[in-house]
């Protein structure tokens, strides 16, 4: 039955499109939350740059894997988390010298 197979194929294509839409919506909904969590840890770093912050702990604070955390952090700041922290410490040392 060609018409039955064609209808089945059309239904399958619609189902795949619905899954794609749902996945895109889910990804779109989580990324801003992840970015907000990373921005929160950046604020924490600025307020407590003198403490010993590990990459693992920062990722845990954001509720992300270390890899996800680094990727988002790099996109926001242009630096790795540790390089950013070192930069904060250097800037504060310069400020105190003046």
């Amino acid at each position: 039955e060609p018409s039955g197979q064609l209808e089945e194929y059309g239904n399958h294509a619609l189902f795949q499109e619905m899954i794609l839409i749902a996945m895109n919506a889910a990804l779109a909904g989580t990324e801003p939350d992840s970015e907000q969590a990373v921005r929160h840890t950046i604020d924490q770093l600025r307020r407590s740059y003198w403490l010993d912050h590990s990459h693992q702990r920062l990722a845990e604070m954001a509720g992300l894997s270390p890899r996800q955390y680094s990727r988002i952090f790099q996109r926001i700041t242009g630096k790795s988390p540790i390089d950013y922290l070192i930069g904060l410490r250097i800037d504060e040392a310069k400020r105190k010298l003046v």
Side-chain angles (χ1 to χ4, degrees), residues 21-35:
I21 290 169
M23 290 174 64
N24 284 333
L27 288 175
T30 59
E31 191 63 25
D33 292 341
S34 298
E35 282 191 19

Side-chain angles (χ1 to χ4, degrees), residues 25-91:
L27 288 175
T30 59
E31 191 63 25
D33 292 341
S34 298
E35 282 191 19
Q36 185 177 15
V38 172
R39 289 183 193 282
H40 177 72
T41 63
I42 291 169
D43 290 340
Q44 292 288 103
L45 285 175
R46 289 181 183 146
R47 287 193 298 271
S48 60
Y49 60 87
W50 61 88
L51 295 176
D52 187 25
H53 295 281
S54 72
H55 181 249
Q56 180 69 34
R57 181 67 186 125
L58 291 168
E60 287 172 5
M61 287 171 52
L64 301 169
S65 71
R67 184 177 173 154
Q68 285 177 302
Y69 180 79
S70 291
R71 182 180 51 82
I72 295 169
F73 195 100
Q74 178 85 29
R75 188 173 62 231
I76 292 171
T77 66
K79 296 180 180 179
S80 73
I82 300 308
D83 287 344
Y84 186 82
L85 180 58
I86 290 169
L88 288 174
R89 291 174 176 166
I90 289 171
D91 289 345

